[in-house]
Amino acid sequence: MRKITDRQKQVLDYISDFIDEHAYAPSIRDIQNHFGLKSTKGVKDHIDRLVEKGYLNRAEGTARALEVIGNGRKASRKIPLVGTVAAGLPLLAEENIEDYIPVTADMARTEGMFFLRVNGDSMINAAILDGDLVLVRPQPFVEQGEIAVVRIGDEATVKRFFRFNTRVELLSENPDYKPIVYYDDDEDIRIVGKVTAVYRTLE
Amino acid sequence: MRKITDRQKQVLDYISDFIDEHAYAPSIRDIQNHFGLKSTKGVKDHIDRLVEKGYLNRAEGTARALEVIGNGRKASRKIPLVGTVAAGLPLLAEENIEDYIPVTADMARTEGMFFLRVNGDSMINAAILDGDLVLVRPQPFVEQGEIAVVRIGDEATVKRFFRFNTRVELLSENPDYKPIVYYDDDEDIRIVGKVTAVYRTLE
DNA sequence: GATATATGTAAACATATGTATAGGTAGGAG
DNA sequence: CTCCTACCTATACATATGTTTACATATATC
């Protein structure tokens, strides 16, 4: 990234902080006042440089349309957390959404991703504990042995997924639990998606 | 929360999506055009209602100063990820910052929090794996047995922390590792902070 | 020394944008 | 029926805001 001057960095930092605080960008005159300048031109010069050097995005002819690039301001997406869905899908009905959790945009490239709260300790040996949140990417198939969210009847569970010809095995990562075996005849089993991340809060 | 009409919800959703996409709020005329309206007044009415009902914040006399409240648009903070800091602190020097990771604001109320990449499998029985990211809240003490980041000499490690009189024990959650014991005479050990969350990405 | 860049003042200008006034239609609540 | 609210058109106004022209000073670079 091209170098910027101290003054330019001051301006960039101010814009960043302002956006963090207000959820919208400062106007040129906001910046002017903050630095005690007596003309808008100086500010515009700084912004022009910052845009040229790739530190800012600006939509022309638009008020407060500054966007800080990089430097910790990468886009983040809010993913819905559907509660402990014991009582079946559809998951994403608004009533089921407990909360929204931000993740970096590159973790959520796919549409329709969601967080699910894990219920029980059946995946304890895969380092997934009761109460952990798993990020799920919806997809109809997974690779052999990957951790998947599977819908069985009206329940959603997290298991390692294996397929042998017509037989499907769902393995827990806990010796106390036995494998769950299904055959293709059984219609009431379907892969919901693949677990792509695990979030846990302590205390 | 007070009820809103279908139309009001459409407007609110559009504003939300617009902000997600552009990082700044739509103007009244942006909204007007999107819904194909022929006057700005209708839009202003909707926004007025949404502000009254607590779904929007608005800074008066200011362009594009809409902020969506609640409903999945909770504030998020970006926390720096300092790499695998084998070679000691200071952690937050800019050169060490690998990335920034968003978390919900209520997870990061304290200043100075950071993510640390865990090195090794010594905490495997606490469901923390090699490569996991732990969110650390800086604090000089932790409760008995809590998982802490501890600086020993120039290295930072994640361990369960116990104190018995003048003796400090750092326990791994892995039978292959022996407890690390220190005495108060040893000056080169210090609690960096407490582990408050664990983030893992699969695949 | 000449040239370029960073930084700034001063004064306008053009327009993007929020706001207001006047009014209309439809549907529900009392 | 009457009143209120939701929702919309049409037009105008005030100002917040981005942009431009002209000029000045200091510092670094060649």
Side-chain angles (χ1 to χ4, degrees), chain B residues 38-57:
Chain B
K38 297 183 180 170
S39 165
T40 55
K41 184 54 166 42
V43 177
K44 188 168 190 303
D45 284 349
H46 285 130
I47 288 178
D48 287 344
R49 304 288 141 62
L50 288 167
V51 171
E52 282 167 20
K53 295 180 180 177
Y55 289 80
L56 279 180
N57 262 347

Side-chain angles (χ1 to χ4, degrees), chain A residues 63-64 74 78 127 198 200, chain B residues 63-64 74 78 127 198 200:
Chain A
R64 297 175 184 272
K74 258 194 324 192
K78 312 242 174 141
V198 181
R200 176 187 317 137
Chain B
R64 296 175 185 271
K74 259 193 321 191
K78 311 241 172 139
V198 181
R200 176 187 317 137

Side-chain angles (χ1 to χ4, degrees), chain A residues 89-103:
Chain A
L89 326 186
L91 295 163
L92 291 182
E94 273 214 36
E95 303 79 42
N96 290 330
I97 294 176
E98 269 185 26
D99 204 350
Y100 285 80
I101 297 173
V103 303

Side-chain angles (χ1 to χ4, degrees), chain B residues 6 9 12 33 41 49 64 72 74 93 112-113 130 136 149 161 176 193 195 197:
Chain B
D6 288 347
K9 175 152 177 48
L12 182 61
N33 290 332
K41 184 54 166 42
R49 304 288 141 62
R64 296 175 185 271
K74 259 193 321 191
M113 294 185 78
D130 185 39
V136 183
V149 173
F161 185 93
D176 296 344
V195 172

Side-chain angles (χ1 to χ4, degrees), chain B:
Chain B
M1 218 142 182
R2 287 172 61 190
K3 270 194 182 177
I4 55 176
T5 66
D6 288 347
R7 193 60 162 165
Q8 283 162 10
K9 175 152 177 48
Q10 285 175 31
V11 174
L12 182 61
D13 285 344
Y14 174 71
I15 295 171
S16 262
D17 292 344
F18 190 104
I19 292 174
D20 281 350
E21 192 180 342
H22 296 87
Y24 51 85
S27 69
I28 286 188
R29 282 168 184 83
D30 287 335
I31 302 171
Q32 179 194 336
N33 290 332
H34 177 262
F35 289 98
L37 302 181
K38 297 183 180 170
S39 165
T40 55
K41 184 54 166 42
V43 177
K44 188 168 190 303
D45 284 349
H46 285 130
I47 288 178
D48 287 344
R49 304 288 141 62
L50 288 167
V51 171
E52 282 167 20
K53 295 180 180 177
Y55 289 80
L56 279 180
N57 262 347
R58 170 180 47 186
E60 283 178 34
T62 314
R64 296 175 185 271
L66 296 174
E67 186 180 355
V68 180
I69 302 171
N71 207 20
R73 314 291 164 177
K74 259 193 321 191
S76 69
R77 282 187 151 201
K78 311 241 172 139
I79 305 295
L81 164 62
V82 300
T84 314
V85 186
L89 326 187
L91 296 162
L92 291 182
E94 274 214 34
E95 304 78 44
N96 290 330
I97 294 175
E98 269 186 28
D99 204 352
Y100 286 80
I101 297 173
V103 303
T104 47
D106 48 295
M107 286 181 63
R109 288 188 221 99
T110 318
E111 281 304 301
M113 294 185 78
F114 59 92
F115 273 100
L116 194 64
R117 189 184 303 280
V118 171
N119 199 358
D121 57 358
S122 73
M123 296 303 283
I124 195 167
N125 284 347
I128 301 177
L129 307 183
D130 185 39
D132 283 4
L133 306 181
V134 291
L135 179 60
V136 183
R137 182 178 61 216
Q139 55 187 64
F141 307 105
V142 296
E143 299 291 312
Q144 198 77 301
E146 283 186 339
I147 297 177
V149 173
V150 181
R151 184 176 59 72
I152 306 173
D154 261 351
E155 296 237 1
T157 44
V158 178
K159 293 283 180 295
R160 280 204 192 277
F161 185 93
F162 291 89
R163 162 175 290 280
F164 307 101
N165 292 321
T166 60
R167 193 171 85 255
V168 165
E169 290 195 10
L170 304 180
L171 268 63
S172 294
E173 285 273 11
N174 184 331
D176 296 344
Y177 292 76
K178 287 186 181 168
I180 304 174
V181 181
Y182 278 88
Y183 294 88
D184 279 356
D185 324 359
D186 299 310
E187 287 286 323
D188 58 347
I189 177 170
R190 208 192 68 210
I191 294 179
V192 174
K194 179 184 169 178
V195 172
T196 61
V198 181
Y199 279 28
R200 176 187 317 137
T201 53
L202 311 179
E203 80 186 323

